[in-house]
């Protein structure tokens, strides 16, 4: 018996390895991957490429074929506009395989075509695609069997999405679907809201216009005699002694109605399932598309599984759920190849509860997530596609880099924004592993949309397929049907007020009557918000069209302020949950093509890529408000402005985030997701990580801003000092001690020291240290000038400092006592690990007086080093020597790092220029 069990586990683990590694499968598993040897040509045949590999897109293929420069370089978003106005054909010579043709079902499955394609097998049109988010299946057995002698050409004729969108707009002259075009500064294309395509591909305020076309997901030939398990859903009910699990198995049996007779077997590897729940009989008929949902309940003892926790609260325990279909004919002695009647799938699942609590208060409703019975403050950012070209957006290495960067910055939630794409399976798997909860929009953003029957049917299929695919991941916390479309209507962003009733009716038809029910068909266990921002459950009372969708007493809020001083904490009024906020900065100077451009050309390129209708005004205004402003005719103008913009962005987002974290106890604020984590090109934007992976100063700071144990301090509207101690984790009570140092800008030693010790801090809480402290009164009594001083705050536990922060008592540009610092760098050690190609460098930063916002950057000559990150950056240095660590990927460990390879900027330097 023991040997049998070992053999069974060996077979199952082998199956898991094959499935998780997504290797090309054999005929036994019923699938042939058609990813190689594709050809591409334009409509008149003047441009041709061969030997393309999927995923593929026209822009990427043309760049790889050296026909165009990268669309991401210089102003190539303009010079390549012709590409999206042409039609393109992908073709593949499909070899015949008689063994495959003996199967009952032979299906061509297109997992993702971007976007409008006519699909031909030989000369026969077998179908069309019109939604890049939908999987299409075509029964090709008859065509292959009767016409394929040696090979048959598969062709996808892809039409210009720009032309299709324009032609569709003619059907909406009675009431336009607005906005018809993006603002002129976007250099974009029109009518993207009429088509089911990544909405940002026609340009956004942070991204270029790249109306992509191509095959951005796999194409496979599937063959089987019985059924294929396509998706598995997983829903939990938390009982006192056990988990009640409802598993949904989505079966596909060709493309037409068919009677099924067989069994499903369920195994949760390493976990006991009652014997009578392990196998069920299935005798049902599929729908007209050959699909069938089978639901089955499992009972899992609580003691047999560990909980899955978000980042910072515990481990991310995951389990492999194995499901097998066996057709009833499998036991027929005349069946020679029983494997053709079997389908197997493994899905990783986690055990946790996630609830969105909206209990009533005296003035509104709360809005916060409770995970495993623990109320949690959600800390994180907004995720846009990792590439503007969909075929590149599933790059696993880059997705991994970005998600690890989010995890390491102490984030526990990301919001997948509604103008991008439903992300790859790998994205959600990694979010599961890293403990990053996902607030998930459907792919509708910042627009009105049609409510025609054809559009609604198309959307229903899209939503159903993608929710089905994603639902089982424990990281998914919430669905929202759109981004900012309710507030756009209410605030008349696009001039809809003259026909408001009609536009609102279309809005409700799409989101309330179609998308929400379609989500709930698949996933009844997660909350569905109709929009973001919205008033949460209060929206139902307002018939889903609130008088103020940004009401801070309900739901979530998007907050941007480009008029008032973002460094000043009193401008942030908060809300229950702030799901978008942020401020722009410029990418690092070395990220721009500075070797190829003079400063005037660089200025022109930056202006070209600044898509905000407000242009660079808010960035420059905030610099001028708080920091020393360089002269426009300075030879280092852009070097200095870029640095100052990143300092200003970091200060604004830091101030806003810390106010929100502190307001947990005063306003019930329970979430802060800043806009945005990542970028799609080198351009002015709100991101904390540049395209390619370089951290801005903001991202370096986020690790402390979102730390599980943190101290927040700021001057309140009454000109008093408020200090909050924040602890976002579990465990026994802790004893902290706090030191507040009144510091001159030019001295290492403090002028005065205030201590609070001991302070008892319980788990998962925010406490106000003392009643508001009159710091300016103290300074007045000591005859001290606020503009010459700041506060440094340190927090200790067991005599070890674990948190620090600072408070400016006046604007930095008024800090007349800043010293003209002498700063030296010394490379203390360099270690390169040849096995991993990781080089680790220790850098000693030495100053003779305090230095403000010390910023380190590798020179462009070190381009061989990749993914370089410092342990800290943009920091205050109030001690003579500071050690900073740098880590890079150095292929072959060939680079010799010297201190001259690192440049330094400080506010001190700019004050004395």
């Amino acid at each position: 018996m023991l040997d049998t069990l070992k053999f069974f586990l060996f077979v199952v683990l082998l199956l898991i390895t094959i499935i998780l590694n997504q290797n090309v499968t054999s005929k036994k598993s019923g699938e042939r991957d058609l990813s190689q040897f594709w050809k591409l040509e334009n409509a008149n045949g003047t441009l041709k490429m061969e030997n393309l590999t999927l995923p593929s897109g026209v822009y990427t293929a043309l760049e790889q074929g050296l026909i165009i420069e990268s669309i991401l370089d210089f102003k190539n978003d303009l010079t390549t506009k012709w590409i999206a106005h042409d039609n393109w054909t992908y073709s593949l010579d499909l070899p015949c395989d008689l063994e495959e043709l003996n199967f009952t079902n032979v299906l061509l499955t297109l997992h993702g075509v971007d976007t409008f394609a006519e699909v031909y097998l030989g000369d026969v049109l077998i179908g069309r695609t019109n939604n890049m988010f939908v999987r299409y299946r075509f029964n090709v057995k008859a065509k292959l069997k009767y016409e394929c002698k040696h090979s048959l050409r598969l062709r996808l004729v892809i039409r210009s999405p720009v032309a299709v969108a324009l032609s569709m707009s003619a059907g909406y002259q009675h009431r336009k679907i607005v906005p018809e075009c993006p603002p002129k500064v976007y250099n974009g294309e029109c009518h993207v809201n009429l088509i089911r395509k990544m909405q940002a591909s026609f340009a956004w305020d942070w991204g270029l216009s790249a109306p992509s076309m191509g095959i951005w997901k796999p194409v496979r030939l599937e063959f089987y005699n019985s059924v294929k398990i396509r998706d598995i859903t997983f829903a939990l009910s938390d009982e006192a002694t056990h988990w009640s699990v409802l598993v949904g198995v989505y079966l596909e049996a060709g493309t037409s109605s068919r009677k099924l007779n067989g069994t499903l077997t369920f195994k949760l590897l390493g976990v006991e399932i009652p014997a009578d729940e392990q196998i069920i009989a299935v005798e049902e008929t599929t729908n007209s598309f050959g699909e069938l949902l089978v639901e089955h309940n499992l009972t899992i003892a609580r003691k047999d599984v560990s909980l899955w926790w978000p980042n910072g609260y515990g481990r991310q325990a995951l389990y492999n759920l194995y499901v097998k279909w066996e057709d009833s004919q499998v036991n027929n002695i005349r069946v020679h190849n029983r494997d053709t009647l079997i389908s197997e799938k493994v899905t990783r699942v986690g055990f946790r509860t996630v609830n969105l609590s909206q209990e009533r208060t005296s003035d509104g409703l709360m809005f916060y997530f409770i995970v495993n019975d623990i109320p949690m403050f959600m800390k994180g950012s907004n995720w846009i596609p990792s590439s503007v070209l969909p075929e590149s957006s599933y790059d696993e290495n880059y997705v991994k880099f970005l998600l690890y960067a989010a995890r390491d910055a102490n984030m526990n939630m990301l919001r997948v924004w509604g103008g991008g794409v439903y992300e790859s399976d790998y994205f959600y798997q990694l979010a599961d592993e890293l403990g990053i909860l996902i607030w998930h929009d459907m792919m509708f953003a910042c627009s009105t949309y049609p409510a025609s029957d054809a559009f609604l049917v198309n959307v229903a299929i899209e939503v159903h397929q993608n929710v089905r695919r994603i639902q089982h991941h424990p990281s998914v916390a919430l669905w929202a049907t759109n981004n900012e479309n309710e507030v756009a209507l209410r605030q008349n962003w696009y001039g809809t007020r003259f026909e408001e009733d009609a536009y609102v009716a279309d809005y409700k038809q799409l989101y309330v009557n179609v998308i929400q029910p379609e989500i709930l068909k698949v996933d009844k266990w997660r909350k569905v918000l109709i929009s973001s921002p919205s008033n949460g459950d209060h929206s139902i009372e307002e018939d889903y069209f609130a008088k103020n969708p940004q009401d801070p007493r309900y739901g979530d809020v998007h907050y941007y302020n480009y008029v008032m001083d973002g460094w000043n904490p009193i401008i942030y009024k908060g809300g229950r949950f702030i799901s978008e906020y942020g401020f722009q900065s410029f990418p690092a100077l070395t990220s721009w093509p500075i070797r190829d451009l003079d400063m005037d050309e660089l200025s022109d390129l930056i202006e070209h890529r600044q898509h905000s209708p407000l242009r660079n005004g808010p960035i420059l205004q905030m610099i001028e408000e708080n920091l020393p402003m360089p002269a426009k005719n300075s030879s280092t103008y852009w070097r200095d402005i870029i640095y100052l913009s990143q300092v200003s962005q970091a200060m604004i987002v830091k101030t806003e985030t810390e106010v929100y974290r502190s307001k947990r106890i005063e306003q019930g604020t329970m979430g802060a997701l800043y806009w945005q984590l990542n970028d799609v090109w080198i351009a002015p934007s709100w991101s904390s990580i540049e395209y390619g992976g370089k951290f801005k100063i903001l991202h370096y700071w986020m690790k402390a801003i979102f730390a599980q144990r943190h101290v927040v301090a700021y001057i309140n509207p009454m000109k008093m000092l408020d200090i909050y101690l924040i602890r976002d984790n579990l465990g026994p009570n802790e004893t902290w001690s706090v030191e507040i140092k009144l510091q001159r800008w030019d001295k290492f030693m403090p002028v005065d020291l205030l201590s609070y010790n001991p302070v008892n801090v319980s788990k998962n809480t925010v406490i106000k240290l003392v009643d508001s402290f009159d710091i300016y009164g103290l300074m007045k009594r000591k005859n001290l000038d606020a503009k010459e001083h700041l506060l440094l705050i340190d927090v200790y536990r067991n005599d070890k400092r674990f948190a620090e922060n600072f408070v400016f008592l006046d604007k930095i540009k008024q800090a007349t006592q800043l010293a003209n610092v002498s700063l030296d760098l010394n490379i203390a050690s360099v270690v390169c690990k040849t096995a991993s190609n990781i080089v680790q460098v220790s850098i000693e930063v030495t100053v003779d007086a305090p230095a403000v916002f010390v910023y380190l950057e590798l020179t462009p000559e070190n381009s061989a080093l990749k993914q370089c990150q410092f342990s800290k950056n943009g920091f205050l240095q109030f001690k003579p020597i500071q050690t900073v660590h740098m880590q890079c990927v150095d292929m072959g460990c060939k680079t010799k790092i010297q201190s001259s390879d690192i440049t330094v900027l400080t506010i001190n330097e700019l004050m004395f220029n």
Side-chain angles (χ1 to χ4, degrees):
M1 178 65 183
L2 185 60
D3 289 339
T4 303
L5 178 60
K6 287 181 178 179
F7 177 77
F8 171 77
L9 290 176
F10 169 79
V11 172
V12 171
L13 289 173
L14 180 61
L15 172 66
I16 293 168
T17 301
I18 293 172
I19 293 173
L20 294 183
N21 287 333
Q22 298 179 341
N23 289 338
V24 178
T25 52
S26 67
K27 291 185 179 65
K28 184 181 293 186
S29 65
E31 194 168 275
R32 178 152 49 113
D33 186 13
L34 305 177
S35 64
Q36 295 183 317
F37 308 119
W38 286 83
K39 300 175 182 178
L40 174 66
E41 63 180 299
N42 65 342
N44 63 13
T46 55
L47 294 174
K48 296 182 180 182
M49 282 144 287
E50 296 186 352
N51 293 323
L52 301 180
T53 299
L54 303 185
S56 176
V58 174
Y59 287 100
T60 302
L62 292 175
E63 180 187 349
Q64 291 172 345
L66 304 180
I67 295 171
I68 63 168
E69 294 179 334
S70 171
I71 192 173
L72 303 180
D73 289 346
F74 301 100
K75 294 185 179 180
N76 291 347
D77 57 316
L78 299 182
T79 62
T80 59
K81 272 186 173 291
W82 59 271
I83 295 170
H85 292 262
D86 205 345
N87 298 329
W88 299 84
T89 297
Y90 278 87
S91 61
L92 174 71
D93 291 328
L94 191 61
C96 294
D97 188 320
L98 295 179
E99 187 177 346
E100 293 173 358
L101 299 182
N102 288 328
F103 286 84
T104 304
N105 302 296
V106 182
L107 301 174
L108 177 68
T109 301
L110 311 175
H111 286 270
V113 177
D114 184 12
T115 295
F116 298 97
E118 295 169 345
V119 185
Y120 291 88
L121 198 55
D123 295 324
V124 176
L125 176 67
I126 62 172
R128 292 181 170 88
T129 72
N130 63 358
N131 188 325
M132 73 174 286
F133 306 122
V134 165
R135 178 183 64 255
Y136 293 89
R137 297 184 303 138
F138 306 107
N139 189 333
V140 295
K141 177 176 179 176
K143 178 67 176 174
L144 289 174
K145 188 169 185 178
Y146 294 109
E147 294 193 31
C148 186
K149 296 185 172 43
H150 301 290
S151 67
L152 201 61
R153 178 157 293 189
L154 171 63
R155 289 184 297 133
L156 278 70
V157 180
I158 301 179
R159 291 185 291 156
S160 160
V162 177
V164 172
L166 178 62
S167 67
M168 292 177 68
S169 68
Y172 295 97
Q173 295 304 311
H174 63 293
R175 187 173 70 253
K176 295 179 179 179
I177 307 301
V178 292
E180 293 188 281
C181 301
K184 288 184 178 180
V185 295
Y186 290 16
N187 299 304
E189 303 290 353
C190 300
H191 306 297
V192 73
N193 44 352
L194 301 183
I195 61 177
R196 292 313 301 144
K197 176 175 175 56
M198 184 173 84
Q199 297 294 277
S201 67
F202 277 29
W204 218 261
D205 56 5
W206 42 257
L208 68 160
S209 174
S212 52
M213 294 161 284
I215 307 174
W216 72 294
K217 288 188 180 184
V219 174
R220 295 195 171 110
L221 197 65
E222 298 173 347
F223 38 89
Y224 47 90
N225 282 332
S226 184
V227 304
K228 181 178 182 66
I229 300 175
R230 178 66 68 186
D231 297 309
I232 297 173
T233 57
F234 186 82
L236 296 167
S237 296
D238 186 12
E239 311 293 342
T241 60
H242 66 276
W243 294 95
S244 180
V245 181
L246 182 63
V247 179
V249 183
Y250 288 84
L251 303 174
E252 293 179 355
T255 56
S256 58
S257 180
R258 181 182 163 198
K259 180 70 177 291
L260 299 183
N261 191 330
T263 60
L264 282 169
T265 301
F266 298 83
K267 300 288 184 182
L268 194 63
L269 301 191
V271 179
E272 186 68 27
I273 296 176
D276 60 348
E277 296 179 5
Q278 292 180 18
I279 302 177
I280 63 169
V282 177
E283 291 187 38
E284 295 186 51
T285 301
T286 69
N287 63 18
S288 60
F289 300 104
E291 299 174 339
L292 175 67
L293 167 63
V294 178
E295 294 184 312
H296 178 55
N297 283 294
L298 302 177
T299 304
I300 308 297
R302 293 184 65 88
K303 64 181 178 59
D304 289 346
V305 293
S306 299
L307 290 175
W308 181 96
W309 289 95
N311 182 30
Y313 284 88
R315 292 178 55 249
Q316 290 75 52
L318 295 167
Y319 297 87
N320 289 311
L321 174 64
Y322 167 77
V323 180
K324 181 173 71 170
W325 163 268
E326 286 186 307
D327 193 282
S328 59
Q329 295 185 63
V330 78
N331 296 315
N332 189 328
I333 59 172
R334 292 173 295 179
V335 174
H336 299 295
N337 190 354
R338 288 172 169 78
D339 292 326
T340 66
L341 299 171
I342 294 173
S343 181
E344 299 166 296
K345 191 174 180 70
V346 175
T347 299
R348 286 199 306 174
V349 297
F351 290 82
R352 90 292 179 270
T353 58
V354 177
N355 297 302
L356 181 61
S357 183
Q358 298 187 68
E359 70 265 23
R360 188 161 293 282
T361 66
S362 60
D363 66 339
L365 299 177
M366 291 297 291
F367 189 96
Y368 64 96
F369 290 90
I370 302 175
V371 184
N372 299 332
D373 298 325
I374 305 294
M376 294 185 184
F377 190 101
M378 291 299 145
K379 305 174 293 188
S381 189
N382 284 259
W383 173 276
I384 65 172
S386 59
S387 173
V388 73
L389 300 175
E391 66 271 15
S392 300
S393 67
Y394 278 20
D395 181 339
E396 291 188 359
N397 289 329
Y398 193 46
V399 168
K400 181 177 181 179
F401 171 83
L402 290 172
L403 287 181
Y404 268 80
R407 189 278 307 270
D408 294 344
N410 293 308
M411 298 185 195
N412 57 20
M413 178 173 275
L414 287 174
R415 175 172 173 254
V416 174
W417 168 77
V421 298
Y422 304 94
E423 292 294 333
S424 67
D425 294 337
Y426 180 76
F427 173 92
Y428 303 104
Q429 290 168 12
L430 201 54
D432 293 345
E433 294 173 8
L434 299 180
I436 299 175
L437 287 164
I438 302 298
W439 170 312
H440 210 301
D441 288 355
M442 298 294 105
M443 296 303 119
F444 301 84
C446 301
S447 291
T448 64
Y449 288 89
S452 64
D453 290 345
F455 189 86
L456 296 177
V457 168
N458 198 359
V459 165
I461 295 169
E462 167 193 326
V463 171
H464 184 83
Q465 284 191 7
N466 283 283
V467 173
R468 228 172 77 172
R469 175 175 66 91
I470 298 166
Q471 186 275 345
H472 69 273
H473 291 280
S475 56
V476 177
L478 171 146
W479 307 105
T481 71
N482 72 79
N483 169 77
E484 297 187 344
N485 293 345
E486 179 187 6
V487 70
L489 284 175
R490 176 54 76 187
Q491 296 180 0
N492 196 34
W493 289 7
Y494 310 121
T496 53
R497 191 155 291 157
F498 70 101
E499 285 189 274
E500 184 173 85
D501 289 347
Y503 281 108
V504 171
D506 284 356
Y507 172 89
K508 293 178 183 178
Q509 179 66 10
L510 176 59
Y511 302 114
V512 180
N513 298 337
V514 174
I515 295 181
Q516 177 181 237
E518 207 61 49
I519 294 172
L520 293 174
K521 284 180 186 177
V522 178
D523 190 357
K524 306 177 183 68
W525 305 272
R526 287 184 180 87
K527 182 68 178 177
V528 179
L529 297 178
I530 297 302
S531 189
S532 175
S534 79
N535 289 342
D537 282 351
H538 189 64
S539 296
I540 302 171
E541 300 173 27
E542 299 180 286
D543 197 22
Y544 300 104
F545 188 53
K547 291 181 180 178
N548 178 16
Q550 295 268 48
D551 193 326
R553 300 172 300 167
Y554 307 97
D556 67 315
V557 168
H558 295 186
Y559 181 77
Y560 297 92
N561 191 327
Y562 303 128
V563 178
M564 304 172 74
D565 181 6
W567 292 46
N568 189 342
I570 70 172
I571 77 169
Y572 302 114
K573 305 306 180 185
R576 303 303 191 196
F577 195 109
I578 296 80
S579 54
E580 272 195 35
Y581 63 97
F583 201 82
Q584 279 196 337
S585 68
F586 299 113
L589 180 65
T590 54
S591 299
W592 298 92
I594 55 177
R595 294 180 180 180
D596 300 308
L597 302 175
D598 61 32
M599 287 301 102
D600 288 340
E601 291 170 326
L602 175 61
S603 180
D604 181 59
L605 181 61
I606 291 174
E607 184 72 12
H608 169 71
R609 295 193 176 196
Q610 173 56 277
H611 283 187
S612 169
L614 298 175
R615 316 305 291 153
N616 294 330
I619 299 176
L620 300 178
Q621 179 184 336
M622 285 302 99
I623 294 173
E624 191 166 13
E625 179 79 25
N626 293 284
L627 295 163
M629 192 73 175
K632 285 250 3 175
N633 61 358
S634 167
S635 62
T636 60
Y637 175 79
W638 274 114
R639 181 203 71 169
D640 300 342
I641 283 293
I642 287 171
Y643 161 65
L644 292 170
S645 79
Q646 291 201 15
V647 169
S648 185
Q649 179 199 35
M651 276 299 303
I652 290 169
V653 176
K654 172 186 185 296
T655 302
E656 189 167 359
T657 304
E658 292 184 337
V659 168
Y660 295 151
R661 292 193 74 183
S662 74
K663 287 187 179 294
R664 174 173 182 170
I665 59 174
E666 295 170 353
Q667 293 187 2
T669 303
M670 286 294 285
L673 309 179
Y674 70 88
W675 184 270
Q676 67 213 58
L677 181 71
N678 53 309
D679 259 331
V680 298
W681 67 338
I682 298 299
S685 87
W686 295 257
S687 73
S688 63
I689 303 178
E690 298 176 10
Y691 180 72
K694 180 177 288 186
F695 288 3
K696 293 180 178 178
I697 291 174
L698 172 59
H699 202 83
Y700 284 108
W701 286 20
M702 290 315 301
K703 186 172 184 178
I705 294 168
F706 278 153
Q708 296 165 27
R709 297 177 177 89
H710 192 39
V711 58
V712 167
Y714 51 82
I715 305 300
N716 69 23
M718 304 303 295
K719 301 292 285 184
M720 307 285 277
L721 176 68
D722 286 340
I723 300 177
Y724 300 87
L725 302 181
I726 300 174
R727 183 178 168 204
D728 281 348
N729 59 10
L730 306 179
N733 289 1
E734 298 177 353
T735 301
W736 296 5
S737 59
V738 182
E739 287 186 353
I740 306 170
K741 293 180 284 189
L742 181 59
Q743 199 90 30
R744 273 177 63 100
W745 282 106
D746 61 345
K747 302 294 183 184
F748 291 126
M749 295 298 293
V751 174
D752 203 351
L753 178 67
L754 301 174
S755 296
Y756 295 88
N757 182 36
V759 182
N760 189 48
V761 183
S762 58
K763 65 182 180 181
N764 197 39
T765 191
V766 177
I767 61 173
K768 195 170 183 180
L769 184 58
V770 291
D771 290 334
S772 299
F773 182 76
D774 186 6
I775 185 65
Y776 291 103
L778 172 66
M779 297 188 68
K780 186 176 181 180
R781 291 193 297 273
K782 291 179 175 289
N783 197 29
L784 300 175
D785 190 341
K787 69 175 179 287
E788 297 176 2
H789 297 82
L790 75 158
L791 301 177
L792 299 181
I793 303 169
D794 296 320
V795 185
Y796 297 85
R797 178 173 170 239
N798 299 328
D799 297 323
K800 183 177 180 180
R801 186 176 68 177
F802 64 86
E804 59 184 318
N805 215 326
F806 56 85
V807 177
F808 298 146
L809 302 176
D810 207 331
K811 297 181 186 299
I812 290 181
K813 69 178 184 180
Q814 306 292 346
T816 55
Q817 298 301 314
L818 272 180
N820 190 2
V821 172
S822 174
L823 186 150
D824 292 313
L825 296 182
N826 176 53
I827 304 298
S829 67
V830 179
V831 177
C832 194
K833 301 176 181 178
T834 54
S836 60
N837 292 307
I838 299 294
V839 60
Q840 297 172 326
V841 184
S842 292
I843 307 159
E844 291 179 348
V845 184
T846 304
V847 294
D848 60 354
V852 181
F853 299 140
V854 179
Y855 177 65
L856 308 176
E857 187 177 17
L858 274 176
T859 60
E861 288 73 24
N862 289 279
S863 58
L865 297 175
K866 305 297 182 184
Q867 298 181 6
C868 294
Q869 308 299 346
F870 296 94
S871 58
K872 62 191 304 184
N873 217 341
F875 52 88
L876 302 180
Q877 183 162 340
F878 273 79
K879 56 184 178 181
I881 300 179
Q882 170 80 48
T883 300
V884 178
H885 304 285
M886 181 182 74
Q887 179 171 293
C888 305
V889 175
D890 182 12
M891 300 306 296
C893 292
K894 297 177 181 179
T895 307
K896 306 299 181 185
I897 301 290
Q898 301 177 1
S899 58
S900 59
D901 294 320
I902 300 170
T903 61
V904 187
L905 270 176
T906 64
I907 297 296
N908 306 63
E909 176 184 343
L910 300 191
M911 288 282 279
F912 285 90
N913 277 350

